[in-house]
Amino acid sequence: MTLIERLNQDMKTAMKNKDKETLSVIRMVRSSLKNREIELKRPLNEEEALDVVIKELKQQQDSLVEFDRAGRDDLAEKARSEIAVLERYLPEPLSDEELRSIVQKAVNRTGAASKADMGKVMKAVMPEVKGRADGKRVNRLVLEVLQ
């Protein structure tokens, strides 16, 4: 089942169960997916749909940081619950060991030897871990390996 099909199915389920919170998040994502399709003037493939979900998740995470900083616990809690719904549509996250292995292979492949080669390694790693590892986490591990 594709991501878009899962969203449609889950939207129907949320409507039946009167789960307003989940329904709201799914509608937001579907709207973003539709807008992206209109931009590209064609249907989205699975990877492009995943990119949209990741973008929505990052926006919610950024909002959560701002709400926490401003002391808006009500909005922060809403953002946390929306993040939880969005995370259901992401692939299984990589463990630290798996991620470290991918980073080490990329370092070996690119011949990186110092922090100056970090861009090469990041460029090699990020497409491989898309949606399964946060860029900050990858960045931290690349720095550790290149030390």
Side-chain angles (χ1 to χ4, degrees):
M1 182 180 300
T2 68
L3 178 61
I4 294 172
E5 290 169 346
R6 276 184 55 208
L7 284 165
N8 290 335
Q9 187 66 38
D10 289 353
M11 186 173 82
K12 291 175 189 173
T13 303
M15 285 176 165
K16 288 177 186 173
N17 296 337
K18 297 185 181 356
D19 184 354
K20 291 180 183 179
E21 188 175 298
T22 302
L23 184 59
S24 169
V25 174
I26 292 172
R27 283 181 171 158
M28 173 186 64
V29 172
R30 288 187 68 222
S31 173
S32 295
L33 289 167
K34 194 66 173 165
N35 288 338
R36 185 73 177 135
E37 283 181 351
I38 291 169
E39 271 178 39
L40 297 174
K41 296 182 174 119
R42 63 175 170 76
L44 299 177
N45 62 34
E46 194 68 13
E47 187 175 324
E48 292 166 334
L50 181 61
D51 287 342
V52 171
V53 173
I54 290 169
K55 181 180 176 193
E56 291 292 332
L57 179 66
K58 285 181 181 177
Q59 286 177 349
Q60 289 301 320
Q61 289 170 335
D62 292 344
S63 295
L64 177 60
V65 170
E66 292 302 318
F67 294 148
D68 281 339
R69 189 177 299 146
R72 294 294 309 265
D73 295 334
D74 55 332
L75 294 176
E77 192 55 44
K78 183 175 187 266
R80 278 187 195 87
S81 62
E82 289 179 0
I83 287 169
V85 172
L86 289 169
E87 285 176 339
R88 288 188 236 163
Y89 299 100
L90 296 179
E92 191 67 33
L94 291 169
S95 69
D96 282 340
E97 296 81 31
E98 292 170 318
L99 187 56
R100 189 176 305 279
S101 171
I102 291 170
V103 167
Q104 189 61 55
K105 287 176 187 171
V107 167
N108 295 341
R109 234 183 7 249
T110 60
S114 68
K115 287 184 184 179
D117 299 321
M118 189 168 171
K120 288 184 208 173
V121 178
M122 290 295 290
K123 188 175 180 181
V125 171
M126 287 311 290
E128 200 172 331
V129 300
K130 181 178 236 158
R132 299 183 68 201
D134 182 52
K136 292 175 187 175
R137 197 170 141 216
V138 174
N139 190 314
R140 184 175 35 82
L141 279 174
V142 170
L143 280 173
E144 284 177 22
V145 171
L146 291 178
Q147 294 268 331

